[in-house]
Amino acid sequence: MRVYLARHGETTWNLAGRYQGRLESALSPLGAAQAGALAGAMDAAGVGRVVSSPLQRCTATAAPTAARVHVPVEIDDRLLEIAHGTWEGRLRDEIAANDPGRYRAWREDPARVSFEDGETIVQVLDRWRDFAATFRPASPSLVVTHDAVVRVALVAAADRELDAFWKGRVENGAYAVFEVDAGGWTLIEENVAVHLGSLRASTDGQAL
């Protein structure tokens, strides 16, 4: 069965270069348009189930698809973004200046970073594996989550080490395509963004 694993649409904090983690931030106007474009693609794909992280930026991205295909948005806490701890709510440039060692490690050696009052990507991977092991879609499904969760899902599907965390392509409102069966999750396509057209957002300035 096909599962479409999407990152939420662009948010106001993405635009500002501010770390989000478990804090709430609203979709930008572009992010809302991305959610609408995603809904069109998911309707065409025959999606019959929609599951989301509980955070507003994901539920707002999932809602247009759910409304279009007439299903509820199911919530699963295992899809939450990585907890960035003391970085949350702060600008990327501020973090780079005030916590340079951890910031450099996060960009260059993420598998060995632990966020103060937060998580590691090993913990995010454990959450994802638990979700993936128990998710049994009876119809094509949309799963809306966050950058770090999509990245660990790509790592897991490719059976790579977590050192490959930053190598995957992940965009706002785009999705990875998986075939899911009793044998596990097989990655079909990494970053589908054709439905976004001119709505693609640059991630260069985002606090990821």
Side-chain angles (χ1 to χ4, degrees):
M1 192 62 65
R2 287 294 164 100
V3 175
Y4 304 91
L5 183 65
R7 184 187 176 203
H8 60 76
E10 181 191 72
T11 70
T12 56
W13 281 18
N14 286 153
L15 277 172
R18 192 178 300 277
Y19 277 96
Q20 299 175 122
R22 301 292 178 83
L23 297 183
E24 294 284 17
S25 59
L27 295 183
S28 68
L30 177 60
Q34 290 169 340
L38 179 64
M42 293 298 99
D43 188 16
V47 160
R49 187 176 180 186
V50 179
V51 185
S52 174
S53 157
L55 293 179
Q56 174 190 354
R57 55 192 181 271
C58 289
T59 58
T61 300
T65 295
R68 189 155 177 167
V69 303
H70 309 293
V71 299
V73 176
E74 302 173 40
I75 300 300
D76 197 307
D77 288 348
R78 293 171 293 183
L79 298 171
L80 278 164
E81 177 63 299
I82 187 171
H84 278 295
T86 57
W87 284 16
E88 294 183 4
R90 297 166 64 189
L91 295 171
R92 183 183 70 174
D93 291 349
E94 175 200 347
I95 295 295
N98 296 332
D99 194 1
R102 195 184 338 244
Y103 180 77
R104 189 181 315 108
W106 176 236
R107 301 308 306 177
E108 298 175 0
D109 192 17
R112 280 165 268 287
V113 172
S114 178
F115 290 103
E116 185 179 354
D117 297 329
E119 281 185 302
T120 66
I121 58 171
V122 173
Q123 291 172 300
V124 179
L125 178 60
D126 287 344
R127 283 197 278 114
W128 169 255
R129 283 176 169 160
D130 188 56
F131 173 83
T134 58
F135 188 64
R136 294 289 181 267
S139 60
S141 300
L142 170 65
V143 176
V144 182
T145 184
H146 304 267
D147 182 77
V149 181
V150 177
R151 290 183 184 281
V152 297
L154 295 175
V155 167
D159 198 25
R160 298 175 181 169
E161 297 297 324
L162 281 172
D163 292 342
F165 179 76
W166 291 117
K167 292 182 180 178
R169 293 175 58 221
V170 182
E171 296 182 43
N172 295 111
Y175 57 86
V177 183
F178 293 87
E179 184 69 23
V180 178
D181 56 29
W185 290 56
T186 302
L187 179 63
I188 305 301
E189 194 165 355
E190 180 177 293
N191 187 70
V192 179
V194 64
H195 60 288
L196 296 174
S198 63
L199 300 175
R200 294 175 77 174
S202 172
T203 59
D204 291 346
Q206 295 183 11
L208 302 177

